[in-house]
Amino acid sequence: MGKIDIQQLDDIANHLRVDSIKMTCAAKSGHPTSSCSAAEIIATLFFNEMKLDKTLPKNPSSDRFVLSKGHACPVLYAAWHQAGHISTNDMMNIRKITCDLEGHPTPRLDFIDVATGSLGQGLSCAAGMAYVGKYIDKASYRVYCLLGDGECAEAFASYYKLDNLVAIVDMNRLGQTQQTMLGHDADTMAKRFDSFGCHAIVVDGSNVVELLNAYSTARQTKGKPTAIVAKTLKGKGIVGIEDEDNWHGKPVPESTIEAIEQILTNKADIAGTLQMKPPVNDAPNVELPIGHIKMAPPTYSLGDKVATRQAYGTALAKLGDACPRIIGLDGDTKNSTFSEKLLKKHPEQFVECFIAEQNLVGVAVGLQCRDRAIPFASTFAAFFTRAADQLRMAAVSFANIKCAGSHVGVSIGEDGPSQMGLEDIALFRTIPGSIVFYPTDAVAAERATELAANTRGIAFIRTGRPACPVIYSNDEKFEIGKGKIVHDANKPKALIIGAGVTLYEAKKAADKLQLESVEVIVMDLFTIKPLDKDLIVKSAKRAENRIITVEDHYQAGGIGEAVCQAVSDQKDIRVRSLFILDVPHSGPPDVLLEKYGISAKHIVDAVHQSIHPPN
Amino acid sequence: MGKIDIQQLDDIANHLRVDSIKMTCAAKSGHPTSSCSAAEIIATLFFNEMKLDKTLPKNPSSDRFVLSKGHACPVLYAAWHQAGHISTNDMMNIRKITCDLEGHPTPRLDFIDVATGSLGQGLSCAAGMAYVGKYIDKASYRVYCLLGDGECAEAFASYYKLDNLVAIVDMNRLGQTQQTMLGHDADTMAKRFDSFGCHAIVVDGSNVVELLNAYSTARQTKGKPTAIVAKTLKGKGIVGIEDEDNWHGKPVPESTIEAIEQILTNKADIAGTLQMKPPVNDAPNVELPIGHIKMAPPTYSLGDKVATRQAYGTALAKLGDACPRIIGLDGDTKNSTFSEKLLKKHPEQFVECFIAEQNLVGVAVGLQCRDRAIPFASTFAAFFTRAADQLRMAAVSFANIKCAGSHVGVSIGEDGPSQMGLEDIALFRTIPGSIVFYPTDAVAAERATELAANTRGIAFIRTGRPACPVIYSNDEKFEIGKGKIVHDANKPKALIIGAGVTLYEAKKAADKLQLESVEVIVMDLFTIKPLDKDLIVKSAKRAENRIITVEDHYQAGGIGEAVCQAVSDQKDIRVRSLFILDVPHSGPPDVLLEKYGISAKHIVDAVHQSIHPPN
């Protein structure tokens, strides 16, 4: 490649930068800086390295490109613009409801194969494409995946120099159905732990001397965790079964015990006689004042516009004043979730877990063991789905953890569906014994945070992105499982149930209906689980047995279904539910509430239809 | 440490082996081979290395032990038995409903801090404990975590030698809220990719010559994927913003464009004129025959006892005959999910993804891009929660993937709650446009698999562990969204709705009720989403407006809520729902159905209460 081409590519990179800046300026949102760092990478890939078909972007023979760091999509859109596939006009409409150049890329665009924007997923999808190319298509196309460095954050233990942690891998070679990926290649396993900042040691895992030496080395290792890769045999010591396949998860013949007993040097039954080394009693005594953690009260004025995520941060910082064992954790979103308020006030009470939400929740579960801490883990609500298995297991662990998920629903607007929490209520409602808070205003959000701290178990606090008016006075009392009537009437014809942004829509709807002399009750749930069944049933009965639920969430497992379930033993009550019907699009919050069916207008229509049902 | 102690430790290890074998023989289930490989590790940890308090296992100053490979708990229980904390009698009652020594460990035991059994989580929890020990307690206790080698399976791309895959890390140093874990330490990042079997190359990511050389090297690299770690600057080229904090996700001033334009060597607007290299057209033409994939019909006899997971495997293998682009994937559970039937018949149509379910789903999404394949990914239903974020994003990708989750509900029995799918219906119902199959018998399971293959989108097939009688004839027609009345009556007093194991309980209940002259209708849902609302409403109206739902699943987002929602616009219909109320315990399936409230007896009681509601 000659000099002139290099210059051309440099120029192209700078054109991509210019386009990225222009697009995000036009959209008044987006990620130009994350785009600009990748300009040369994209320029060289698209205009020299990759083989692509501009007129048929999904040509099966084309190379594939996966933008795992989906937020950098302006630079990708710019490349397709420079190639002539996207018009300047389209490009300048990025993030608008009318344009499929969304805030994060989706296959609504013909040059996108997989949606990205939830970090840490692109490489798996790219690997699937590469697998099909190499082994099924047996074709020459190649797969390129661009990752962010922030999404490669799986080294928590070494980052925090946890030299009091020893990981031991029982490398017994056999999985449930076949040999594991590495078999007995202990050196490669050790290299992996080493590369993640552990002191890695390979030992014969059936040799007690080697094990003891490794533990001793671990104790002397400062500034990093130790990983001991212990080569063992599955079924070690069981004659005829040791190191054999097809013996996973099955009892073995009792007759195999004899051979093991024969090699004992001391044949006596020692059970119950063995000593363990006692602990050094240097852990401080901690009595978590759960139930008595008093937070300084909220200090808002009615009508102040405050996002509930912001109020969450305020409350968390105040709870941190009240209890030094309240620990905030976040996944590099602390300026979005406002958990940074705790960090700023009490840096020693905050743990940055970076973009690895599965680890965020796992670390929180670890923190709370033996009542050492009350962890509050926060990130975008959508990203808690990354930790759904950890949350499920946290329930089996009877863990005491608090999760705060911000940026819920379509009301986040332009960033698009990958960033919208639309299944988080369902996720947290499935957790046995969980409490699901959905505070509507800042006062409620502060109280929800305080109540979460003061109640054992798994709690979720659903917070919103937009700043909304304060509707409760600072001394309003909130209780778990108790809703509020925020708009009442003498002769109501329907009960409207909302929470968060939809409560404001419900209030607007009530005002509109009042103009038509249709009176309604509006109820704010405060907690989705437990649900205030009594108040719902009582209010519905007053309101001619009609309920309308409205939520910025998908249907399954959401508010509507919870309410339907709660009134399912009641005769006569009928429920009409409004929820997000489909995968949303980027756009302004108001437009999205309207388009996806949860705005005041839709609520008014639902009330009318409820009163005069179509046949 | 002297010679005698070494011998003692060897003896203790063998005692642990003997105990592990005895326990699992008594339980007639469990994992002795996975226990025996770790005997010396546990013996040396518990009787020499760790500092523990036998009488107060949760002494805050004690060392912590996390058994990430939770299925090896017999060897852990044996250690506590040898130490005298667990009686021989208790030990021999492992996995019984009356004994907290469950199939996988939970904090019901006083020496367990976190439940394990869902692999890949223990180290996060251990890291949380180590963090609190080092930085918050500032105490000397240490944390030990024992992992299985099978749960360290994050190297899919190199395992399959995907040399057509290039991962490029845009290492721009800055995350959303602070510097990333590694900052600009590109060598460490490269070492990580290298240790996972990639050819890792570090380049200046803003230097197009270095990038082009790296791509060229990647093309010449055979037998392994390439990872290019590209050192870049966030906001590269934007004056005053480049490499600065606090500019994530924000537009930058439009005035910054000028400086970039000035460095262009060719100032002309080149947009639309740029060429891309065209593809080499060597990918085969594939037309997926979706809608026309014909499977050889089922060949069962009524009453045959066949698990639906087994029928899934049979159907998958037959679908593999019919369409070479049907690809099975599994997470090292293929002999449990029976996806191995496809592997055995068509090895080239199967991809083992090992124990990394997030990657399993990610790879499936990648496989289906551009209609290259119809992927069927299977594992235990519970473990799809590991991939909840990937599933959410698969919907945003409009992906065509099929998931089959086995081992659902308490009916799996002794393995305990970590292995029980109890939120999988909710998880898959939240996916926009998804289809959720819950076939009751083997015929229905085969047809569900065939229908899933023939319908675009995301489908979930919920299969069960126990072998249950075939109730449908081989030529029974099944449709998406159509339930079946499996027991009818002239003057029914209630409609009982079930699926899977609970349908058999419902049928038993119907028979019992018949003896008391209480007639009922029993409906098998077949698909939970879409739900056969018409048949439900019609049948409920015939049955005096009473519905009883019963499911082997938690309440939130499950069958009961779906049914309540479906009838919420109906006057008079009342629903009573039976579901799993709490975190279950290990025990025999029948005992668990009884204990957790979803057995025939509970259904009979619910019908009675429905007819004669208490005040």
Side-chain angles (χ1 to χ4, degrees):
Chain A
M1 164 157 245
K3 182 127 205 209
I4 186 68
D5 293 344
I6 300 297
Q7 241 172 27
Q8 270 187 345
L9 288 170
D10 277 329
D11 274 4
I12 294 172
N14 283 315
H15 279 294
L16 300 179
R17 287 198 169 92
V18 170
D19 282 353
S20 300
I21 296 172
K22 281 186 183 166
M23 269 184 258
T24 48
C25 281
K28 296 191 178 65
S29 65
H31 300 77
T33 58
S34 307
S35 297
C36 284
S37 61
E40 280 79 11
I41 297 171
I42 295 290
T44 49
L45 281 177
F46 278 72
F47 300 107
N48 192 287
E49 171 64 11
M50 290 200 294
K51 295 173 181 154
L52 296 166
D53 186 340
K54 186 160 75 177
T55 54
L56 183 66
K58 290 216 174 131
N59 182 327
S61 291
S62 292
D63 288 344
R64 272 64 164 164
F65 178 75
V66 178
L67 184 66
S68 189
K69 49 176 293 188
H71 56 286
C73 56
V75 71
L76 174 63
Y77 300 162
W80 285 99
H81 171 245
Q82 291 295 334
H85 188 73
I86 295 174
S87 72
T88 306
N89 188 43
D90 272 355
M91 185 180 84
M92 297 306 283
N93 280 314
I94 180 179
R95 293 178 156 246
K96 298 227 168 78
I97 190 94
T98 50
C99 173
D100 283 342
L101 298 168
E102 296 188 74
H104 291 78
T106 81
R108 286 192 175 111
L109 296 164
D110 54 16
F111 53 89
I112 296 290
D113 290 296
V114 291
T116 50
S118 185
L119 295 169
Q121 301 195 16
L123 194 53
S124 289
C125 300
M129 296 175 193
Y131 187 97
V132 89
K134 188 174 169 93
Y135 296 108
I136 300 174
D137 281 345
K138 298 185 175 73
S140 64
Y141 65 79
R142 297 172 63 74
V143 184
Y144 297 81
C145 177
L146 181 60
L147 295 85
D149 49 350
E151 61 181 313
C152 306
E154 317 292 342
F156 180 90
S158 62
Y159 184 82
Y160 287 109
K161 301 183 172 39
L162 299 178
D163 47 17
N164 56 346
L165 175 64
V166 184
I168 305 151
V169 182
D170 177 6
M171 191 174 215
N172 65 19
R173 193 181 69 81
L174 294 172
Q176 177 176 325
T177 69
Q178 66 174 83
Q179 179 167 301
T180 57
M181 277 188 166
L182 287 181
H184 261 152
D185 181 359
D187 289 337
T188 298
M189 181 72 86
K191 206 169 133 188
R192 291 184 186 170
F193 279 95
D194 175 74
S195 74
F196 280 84
C198 294
H199 178 207
I201 307 171
V202 174
V203 299
D204 173 348
S206 302
N207 182 316
V208 301
V209 177
E210 289 195 26
L211 287 166
L212 296 179
N213 288 338
Y215 303 147
S216 167
T217 306
R219 260 181 280 112
Q220 290 155 31
T221 301
K222 296 298 165 205
K224 51 165 66 176
T226 295
I228 300 171
V229 180
K231 276 174 81 165
T232 61
L233 297 176
K234 195 157 177 170
K236 169 80 180 174
I238 312 177
V239 177
I241 285 165
E242 176 181 295
D243 205 30
E244 290 293 324
D245 236 321
N246 293 317
W247 277 102
H248 179 89
K250 294 174 192 169
V252 299
E254 219 156 345
S255 58
T256 57
I257 290 175
E258 203 188 319
I260 300 173
E261 284 180 335
Q262 293 228 327
I263 57 171
L264 293 173
T265 54
N266 174 0
K267 307 257 181 314
D269 183 359
I270 53 169
T273 68
L274 287 174
Q275 295 304 313
M276 291 163 154
K277 284 191 186 167
V280 178
N281 287 311
D282 60 1
N285 268 331
V286 175
E287 292 247 1
L288 296 178
I290 295 173
H292 309 281
I293 307 171
K294 284 266 173 285
M295 178 185 77
T299 54
Y300 302 101
S301 301
L302 289 178
D304 281 357
K305 283 199 151 191
V306 187
T308 48
R309 59 187 172 125
Q310 208 165 346
Y312 164 74
T314 302
L316 185 63
K318 290 192 286 186
L319 287 164
D321 300 340
C323 174
R325 292 274 168 161
I326 286 197
I327 308 292
L329 305 90
D330 207 295
D332 194 23
T333 58
K334 55 188 176 287
N335 59 354
S336 292
T337 62
F338 284 94
S339 65
E340 66 176 11
K341 293 192 180 194
L342 176 62
L343 169 67
K344 285 178 182 161
K345 216 164 174 190
H346 300 286
E348 72 292 353
Q349 287 174 243
F350 190 84
V351 191
E352 176 56 70
C353 294
F354 300 92
I355 304 172
E357 294 79 8
Q358 70 286 23
N359 194 58
L360 170 73
V361 172
V363 167
V365 170
L367 287 180
Q368 60 81 48
C369 289
R370 304 191 189 190
D371 262 7
R372 296 286 97 191
I374 305 173
F376 277 76
S378 49
T379 182
F380 284 21
F383 303 148
F384 276 113
T385 57
R386 179 73 51 89
D389 196 17
Q390 280 76 9
L391 290 165
R392 179 179 80 84
M393 291 299 291
V396 184
S397 289
F398 311 109
N400 181 36
I401 62 168
K402 317 301 163 191
C403 299
S406 71
H407 289 67
V408 301
V410 301
S411 57
I412 71 159
E414 288 80 358
D415 270 350
S418 64
Q419 316 295 302
M420 296 170 176
L422 288 162
E423 54 290 284
D424 54 303
I425 295 177
L427 167 61
F428 281 95
R429 281 185 68 238
T430 60
I431 308 295
S434 67
I435 299 166
V436 178
F437 294 95
Y438 190 178
T440 290
D441 82 345
V443 172
E446 288 205 28
R447 292 305 182 190
T449 310
E450 185 184 32
L451 284 164
N454 281 297
T455 314
R456 273 193 190 275
I458 301 174
F460 176 58
I461 305 165
R462 186 177 215 238
T463 69
R465 183 169 188 263
C468 294
V470 169
I471 59 169
Y472 294 110
S473 64
N474 291 317
D475 57 1
E476 179 83 23
K477 296 270 173 287
F478 286 89
E479 284 176 70
I480 292 168
K482 294 286 179 198
K484 306 268 180 197
I485 301 299
V486 297
H487 178 105
D488 210 342
N490 283 327
K491 290 184 176 172
K493 293 208 165 296
L495 165 66
I496 307 174
I497 298 176
V501 289
T502 63
L503 191 83
Y504 296 95
E505 297 300 313
K507 280 162 60 82
K508 275 188 243 168
D511 293 343
K512 285 186 186 189
L513 288 161
Q514 200 125 40
L515 299 177
E516 318 167 6
S517 304
V518 177
E519 295 191 333
V520 294
I521 308 174
V522 179
M523 175 175 173
D524 182 13
L525 285 174
F526 185 58
T527 54
I528 313 300
K529 182 184 172 188
L531 201 62
D532 192 347
K533 182 178 165 170
D534 287 351
L535 186 59
I536 292 171
V537 170
K538 205 174 69 182
S539 308
K541 287 189 171 166
R542 282 176 49 218
E544 301 188 7
N545 287 310
R546 293 186 197 99
I547 299 178
I548 284 89
T549 67
V550 52
E551 65 196 297
D552 197 359
H553 184 273
Y554 290 140
Q555 176 179 36
I559 292 174
E561 292 195 352
V563 168
C564 287
Q565 198 284 326
V567 303
S568 63
D569 59 348
Q570 300 292 318
K571 249 183 130 160
D572 300 326
I573 295 181
R574 283 189 277 190
V575 185
R576 192 173 284 264
S577 295
L578 306 179
F579 45 81
I580 306 300
L581 264 171
D582 202 359
V583 177
H585 197 284
S586 284
D590 283 355
V591 175
L592 296 182
L593 292 181
E594 192 62 40
K595 180 175 164 86
Y596 293 99
I598 58 169
S599 68
K601 180 183 156 297
H602 289 281
I603 298 170
V604 169
D605 290 349
V607 170
H608 286 150
Q609 284 161 22
S610 186
I611 297 171
H612 309 288
N615 278 338
Chain B
M1 164 157 246
K3 182 124 204 211
I4 186 69
D5 293 345
I6 301 298
Q7 238 170 29
Q8 268 186 346
L9 288 170
D10 277 329
D11 273 5
I12 293 172
N14 283 315
H15 278 294
L16 300 179
R17 287 199 169 91
V18 170
D19 282 352
S20 300
I21 296 171
K22 281 186 183 166
M23 270 183 256
T24 49
C25 281
K28 297 192 178 61
S29 66
H31 299 77
T33 59
S34 307
S35 296
C36 284
S37 62
E40 280 80 12
I41 297 170
I42 296 291
T44 49
L45 282 177
F46 278 73
F47 300 107
N48 192 287
E49 172 64 11
M50 290 200 294
K51 293 172 180 156
L52 297 166
D53 185 340
K54 187 161 76 177
T55 53
L56 183 65
K58 290 215 174 131
N59 183 328
S61 291
S62 290
D63 288 344
R64 272 62 163 165
F65 177 74
V66 178
L67 184 66
S68 189
K69 50 175 290 187
H71 57 286
C73 56
V75 70
L76 174 62
Y77 300 162
W80 284 100
H81 170 243
Q82 290 295 333
H85 188 72
I86 295 174
S87 72
T88 305
N89 187 43
D90 272 353
M91 183 179 86
M92 297 306 283
N93 280 315
I94 179 179
R95 291 176 159 248
K96 297 225 169 79
I97 190 93
T98 49
C99 173
D100 284 342
L101 298 168
E102 296 189 73
H104 291 78
T106 82
R108 286 192 175 111
L109 296 164
D110 53 17
F111 53 88
I112 298 289
D113 290 295
V114 290
T116 51
S118 186
L119 294 169
Q121 301 194 17
L123 194 52
S124 289
C125 299
M129 296 174 194
Y131 187 97
V132 89
K134 188 174 170 92
Y135 296 109
I136 300 174
D137 281 344
K138 297 184 176 72
S140 64
Y141 64 79
R142 297 172 63 74
V143 183
Y144 298 83
C145 177
L146 180 59
L147 295 85
D149 49 352
E151 60 181 313
C152 305
E154 316 292 343
F156 180 88
S158 62
Y159 183 82
Y160 286 110
K161 302 183 172 37
L162 298 178
D163 47 18
N164 56 346
L165 175 65
V166 183
I168 305 151
V169 182
D170 178 7
M171 192 173 214
N172 66 17
R173 194 182 70 82
L174 294 172
Q176 176 176 327
T177 68
Q178 68 173 81
Q179 179 166 300
T180 57
M181 276 189 167
L182 287 181
H184 261 153
D185 180 359
D187 290 336
T188 297
M189 181 72 86
K191 206 169 133 187
R192 290 182 187 171
F193 279 95
D194 174 74
S195 75
F196 280 84
C198 293
H199 178 206
I201 306 171
V202 175
V203 299
D204 174 348
S206 301
N207 182 316
V208 302
V209 177
E210 288 195 27
L211 286 166
L212 295 178
N213 288 338
Y215 303 147
S216 166
T217 305
R219 261 182 280 113
Q220 289 154 33
T221 300
K222 296 300 164 204
K224 50 167 66 176
T226 294
I228 301 171
V229 180
K231 276 174 83 165
T232 61
L233 297 176
K234 195 155 178 172
K236 169 80 180 174
I238 312 176
V239 176
I241 286 167
E242 177 180 297
D243 205 31
E244 290 293 325
D245 236 321
N246 293 318
W247 278 102
H248 178 89
K250 293 174 192 169
V252 300
E254 218 156 347
S255 58
T256 57
I257 290 175
E258 203 187 319
I260 301 173
E261 284 179 336
Q262 293 227 326
I263 56 171
L264 293 173
T265 55
N266 174 359
K267 307 257 181 317
D269 183 0
I270 52 168
T273 68
L274 288 173
Q275 295 306 311
M276 292 165 154
K277 283 191 186 168
V280 178
N281 286 310
D282 60 0
N285 270 329
V286 176
E287 292 247 1
L288 295 178
I290 294 171
H292 309 282
I293 307 171
K294 284 268 171 287
M295 177 186 78
T299 55
Y300 302 101
S301 301
L302 289 177
D304 281 357
K305 284 199 150 189
V306 186
T308 48
R309 61 187 170 124
Q310 207 165 346
Y312 165 74
T314 302
L316 185 63
K318 290 192 287 187
L319 288 163
D321 299 340
C323 174
R325 293 272 168 163
I326 287 199
I327 308 292
L329 304 90
D330 207 294
D332 194 22
T333 57
K334 54 188 177 286
N335 61 353
S336 291
T337 62
F338 284 95
S339 65
E340 66 175 10
K341 290 191 181 194
L342 176 63
L343 170 66
K344 285 180 181 161
K345 217 165 172 190
H346 300 287
E348 72 292 354
Q349 287 174 243
F350 189 86
V351 191
E352 177 55 68
C353 293
F354 300 94
I355 304 170
E357 293 79 8
Q358 70 286 26
N359 193 58
L360 169 74
V361 172
V363 167
V365 170
L367 287 180
Q368 61 81 48
C369 288
R370 305 193 188 190
D371 263 7
R372 297 285 96 191
I374 305 172
F376 277 76
S378 49
T379 182
F380 284 22
F383 303 148
F384 276 112
T385 56
R386 179 73 51 90
D389 196 18
Q390 281 76 8
L391 290 164
R392 178 178 80 84
M393 291 299 291
V396 185
S397 288
F398 311 108
N400 181 36
I401 63 166
K402 317 301 162 189
C403 299
S406 70
H407 289 67
V408 302
V410 301
S411 57
I412 71 161
E414 287 81 358
D415 270 349
S418 65
Q419 315 294 300
M420 297 171 175
L422 288 163
E423 54 291 285
D424 53 304
I425 294 177
L427 167 61
F428 281 94
R429 281 186 68 237
T430 60
I431 308 294
S434 66
I435 300 168
V436 178
F437 294 95
Y438 190 178
T440 292
D441 81 345
V443 172
E446 287 205 28
R447 291 306 183 190
T449 312
E450 186 184 31
L451 285 164
N454 281 297
T455 313
R456 275 194 189 273
I458 300 174
F460 176 58
I461 305 164
R462 185 177 217 238
T463 68
R465 182 169 189 264
C468 294
V470 169
I471 59 170
Y472 294 110
S473 65
N474 291 317
D475 58 0
E476 179 84 22
K477 296 272 173 282
F478 286 88
E479 284 175 72
I480 292 167
K482 295 286 178 197
K484 305 270 180 195
I485 301 298
V486 297
H487 178 107
D488 210 342
N490 282 327
K491 291 184 175 172
K493 293 206 163 297
L495 164 65
I496 307 173
I497 297 176
V501 290
T502 62
L503 191 83
Y504 296 95
E505 297 300 314
K507 281 163 58 82
K508 275 188 242 168
D511 293 341
K512 284 187 187 187
L513 287 162
Q514 199 126 41
L515 298 177
E516 318 166 7
S517 303
V518 176
E519 294 191 334
V520 296
I521 308 174
V522 179
M523 176 176 172
D524 182 14
L525 285 174
F526 184 59
T527 55
I528 312 300
K529 182 184 171 189
L531 201 62
D532 192 347
K533 179 177 168 173
D534 287 350
L535 186 60
I536 292 171
V537 170
K538 206 173 68 182
S539 307
K541 287 189 171 168
R542 284 175 50 219
E544 301 188 5
N545 288 310
R546 291 185 198 101
I547 299 179
I548 285 89
T549 67
V550 53
E551 64 195 298
D552 197 358
H553 184 272
Y554 290 139
Q555 176 179 36
I559 292 174
E561 291 195 352
V563 168
C564 287
Q565 197 285 324
V567 302
S568 63
D569 59 348
Q570 301 292 317
K571 246 182 129 159
D572 300 327
I573 295 181
R574 283 190 276 189
V575 185
R576 191 172 284 262
S577 295
L578 306 179
F579 46 81
I580 306 299
L581 264 171
D582 201 0
V583 178
H585 197 283
S586 284
D590 283 356
V591 174
L592 296 181
L593 292 182
E594 192 62 41
K595 179 176 166 84
Y596 292 99
I598 58 168
S599 69
K601 181 183 157 296
H602 289 281
I603 300 170
V604 168
D605 290 348
V607 170
H608 285 151
Q609 284 161 22
S610 187
I611 297 171
H612 307 289
N615 278 338

